[in-house]
Amino acid sequence: MNNAKLKRRATPAIFLLAVLATCAGLQAQNPVIQTHYTADPAPMIYNGKVYLYTSHDEDTTVRNFFTMNDWRCYSSADMVNWTDLGAVLSYKVFDWARGDAWAGQCIYRNGKFYYYLPVNQKNGGNAIGVAVSDSPAGPFKDALGKPLLVGYGYIDPTVFIDSDDQAYLYWGNPNLWHVKLNADMISYDQKTGVVMENMNDMNFGHREKKINSRTADYEEGPWLFERKSKYYMLYPAGGVPEHLAYSTSDSPLGPWVYKDTIMHVIKNRGAFTNHPGYIEYKGQPYLFYHNAGLPGGGGFKRSVCIEPFQFNADGSIPLINPTKEGVTKSAAPLNPYKKVEAETIAWSEGVKTAQDAATGVYVTRINNGGYIKVRSVDFGRGAVSYEARIATALNGGKINLHIDTPTGPLIGTLNVASTGNDAVWAIQTCNVTGIKGIHDLFFVFEGGDGDLFNFDWWKFNAK
């Protein structure tokens, strides 16, 4: 950014209020990430937090095809506010890969995080690699220096560790394969080897249009989990456009029995693909999927969404409708009296996130009229001041602190002063009044033309 050269211009207050009044009626929580296009959700619970791993559709699509170079990670302790942990690795971590960072899944075992990832090899062909890290947010490195698995259609791995500590890896399009992983999580049982499932209608449902001389409905993107001694396999089905379906088994090795559709093809805001993920967090089951719900979205610019649901009494999964509201109930209130990363977001407009080695992830490309919403903030008995870490070459930007809606009660305004340039950070403060209890909090940004400032973290100070 070269903000110092931007011409400042005041925005008429009546116009700004009109824009924000439109936003005030917005109750959307889906898609859950608005600062990047994300797809292929892979949630993982670790140490009481949810870590959401996603593939990443680039803003610019090349050759009218999936343009995906890295994988991103987000975390949440409440299922409504998601902290951007950045791009945790790219396909370049695998020296033998040439691109196509598609759907993967990460799992924790014995002090390390194992991330199973599909890429294309430099010499051609699909392969699945394993990246390993000591932290859920990386850095990840190639665990093997070569692919774990190589074969046509070897994409979209899902990994699962059963109660007896045996780990399984499933993957594939248009077939479904599995291996039994060894305890080291980077090799598999050579005696049983690679096993392909029986791809028939009884196992995976029926489609009208044959694929590879079969009519089974399974397409790709499997997700395996266990609940009450029943094993569930979720997957996109039916060809393009995809819906979500599932099969069950009494064993992680099958045989699988087709059950039903769990999400119909998404129209209007849908992409031609979908990809399921599942967790139960604090007693609540959640289905993760993706659509094309962000501005500019489409088949190659997708976005992750979440729906809470309840299993039927017999353990079956009901038909789940995609909604804009998504998760309406926070799993826990947010504490504003400790440092909160600015990239902790329930909903945002007019901002992006970026990262560098010195600062980590921060909010950038903040424009006049943009805002960040943070859900279920517990102010307790009240706050007296607010502070934020800011970097900017300009004077005159503002962070207006509203509660409940973007045009709700104004509890304070931080008048942003120049720090010298947009890479020099300083903590700036303002007083706040009239706030206690639990509220949604809005940072509404005001200023002139162009990018206003960078925003790293914030916190309130109690009475």
Side-chain angles (χ1 to χ4, degrees):
M1 285 183 281
N2 190 11
N3 285 348
K5 295 182 179 179
L6 291 175
K7 181 180 179 181
R8 310 297 295 177
R9 183 180 67 195
T11 301
I14 190 168
F15 173 76
L16 179 60
L17 290 175
V19 171
L20 295 179
T22 301
C23 299
L26 180 65
Q27 298 300 318
Q29 187 71 26
N30 279 329
V32 296
I33 309 300
Q34 306 87 41
T35 51
H36 294 274
Y37 293 114
T38 56
D40 306 318
M44 177 189 74
I45 299 173
Y46 174 71
N47 272 359
K49 279 188 176 182
V50 178
Y51 290 84
L52 172 59
Y53 297 88
T54 75
S55 56
H56 172 212
D57 291 332
E58 297 288 348
D59 288 356
T60 301
T61 301
V62 179
R63 295 189 296 275
N64 194 35
F65 193 63
F66 297 106
T67 306
M68 305 166 71
N69 299 315
D70 54 27
W71 295 271
R72 302 189 65 83
C73 186
Y74 302 82
S75 68
S76 179
D78 54 28
M79 293 299 295
V80 294
N81 300 301
W82 292 91
T83 301
D84 188 343
L85 303 179
V88 292
L89 78 162
S90 80
Y91 72 85
K92 295 179 182 178
V93 78
F94 302 117
D95 290 341
W96 44 268
R98 64 171 172 81
D100 296 329
W102 292 355
Q105 186 179 349
C106 188
I107 198 167
Y108 173 79
R109 188 171 197 177
N110 296 331
K112 293 189 180 295
F113 298 86
Y114 296 90
Y115 203 171
Y116 299 86
L117 300 162
V119 290
N120 279 319
Q121 300 178 92
K122 286 180 177 177
N123 61 359
N126 304 135
I128 293 172
V130 188
V132 64
S133 175
D134 295 325
S135 163
F140 284 88
K141 64 181 181 180
D142 187 352
L144 286 170
K146 62 181 181 179
L148 173 67
L149 295 155
V150 176
Y152 176 77
Y154 277 30
I155 64 171
D156 298 358
T158 181
V159 60
F160 167 74
I161 303 173
D162 207 356
S163 57
D164 64 358
D165 288 333
Q166 177 61 57
Y168 302 87
L169 192 75
Y170 277 82
W171 71 92
N173 173 335
N175 296 310
L176 179 62
W177 295 272
H178 78 257
V179 292
K180 295 173 69 174
L181 291 171
N182 293 327
D184 63 8
M185 300 298 282
I186 58 174
S187 63
Y188 61 90
D189 187 337
Q190 295 294 318
K191 290 183 180 180
T192 56
V194 174
V195 179
M196 191 176 84
E197 302 304 310
N198 292 322
M199 305 307 293
N200 58 49
D201 295 11
M202 182 191 313
N203 300 120
F204 297 106
H206 176 79
R207 71 170 79 193
E208 294 301 323
K209 186 176 180 180
K210 287 186 179 181
I211 180 169
N212 291 358
S213 301
R214 66 171 172 86
T215 57
D217 214 18
Y218 171 89
E219 186 73 20
E220 59 183 350
W223 185 275
L224 173 62
F225 69 93
E226 181 271 337
R227 180 181 181 270
K228 296 184 177 180
S229 300
K230 183 70 69 174
Y231 297 86
Y232 294 74
M233 185 71 73
L234 313 184
Y235 48 88
V240 174
E242 294 173 341
H243 64 276
L244 298 182
Y246 80 110
S247 302
T248 64
S249 175
D250 294 326
S251 163
L253 297 174
W256 298 99
V257 177
Y258 175 74
K259 291 301 179 180
D260 211 342
T261 294
I262 57 176
M263 180 175 283
H264 287 309
V265 171
I266 303 172
K267 298 181 179 179
N268 299 324
R269 296 176 297 114
F272 58 83
T273 63
N274 205 337
H275 191 290
Y278 166 83
I279 55 169
E280 182 175 315
Y281 183 60
K282 298 186 177 181
Q284 172 64 58
Y286 296 92
L287 176 71
F288 292 68
Y289 62 101
H290 66 231
N291 69 6
L294 287 184
F300 304 125
K301 293 181 180 178
R302 300 158 294 173
S303 296
V304 169
C305 301
I306 308 172
E307 302 294 345
F309 74 97
Q310 294 294 336
F311 286 86
N312 295 321
D314 62 359
S316 61
I317 301 176
L319 183 66
I320 300 170
N321 292 318
T323 70
K324 290 184 178 181
E325 291 77 17
V327 181
T328 58
K329 184 178 180 181
S330 172
L334 185 144
N335 179 6
Y337 299 119
K338 63 179 183 179
K339 186 172 71 174
V340 180
E341 296 297 326
E343 61 275 12
T344 299
I345 297 170
W347 191 266
S348 66
E349 293 192 8
V351 305
K352 296 283 282 185
T353 60
Q355 66 188 106
D356 60 43
T359 307
V361 182
Y362 57 93
V363 177
T364 190
R365 290 171 58 182
I366 295 171
N367 278 242
N368 180 65
Y371 71 93
I372 291 173
K373 176 184 180 181
V374 184
R375 296 259 313 265
S376 299
V377 180
D378 189 357
F379 290 95
R381 295 181 179 180
V384 294
S385 64
Y386 167 82
E387 58 189 73
R389 190 170 187 249
I390 302 291
T392 180
L394 303 174
N395 288 306
K398 294 181 179 181
I399 304 177
N400 295 307
L401 308 175
H402 292 266
I403 56 172
D404 304 327
T405 72
T407 55
L410 179 68
I411 62 170
T413 295
L414 176 63
N415 294 302
V416 176
S418 173
T419 62
N421 67 58
D422 56 15
V424 174
W425 296 91
I427 298 171
Q428 304 191 24
T429 65
C430 71
N431 294 329
V432 298
T433 59
I435 179 63
K436 62 181 179 179
I438 298 176
H439 296 269
D440 290 347
L441 174 65
F442 290 81
F443 303 129
V444 180
F445 305 115
E446 183 180 350
D449 292 340
D451 299 340
L452 301 177
F453 47 84
N454 293 330
F455 185 15
D456 185 23
W457 56 258
W458 59 269
K459 70 183 289 287
F460 285 82
N461 297 301
K463 288 183 177 178

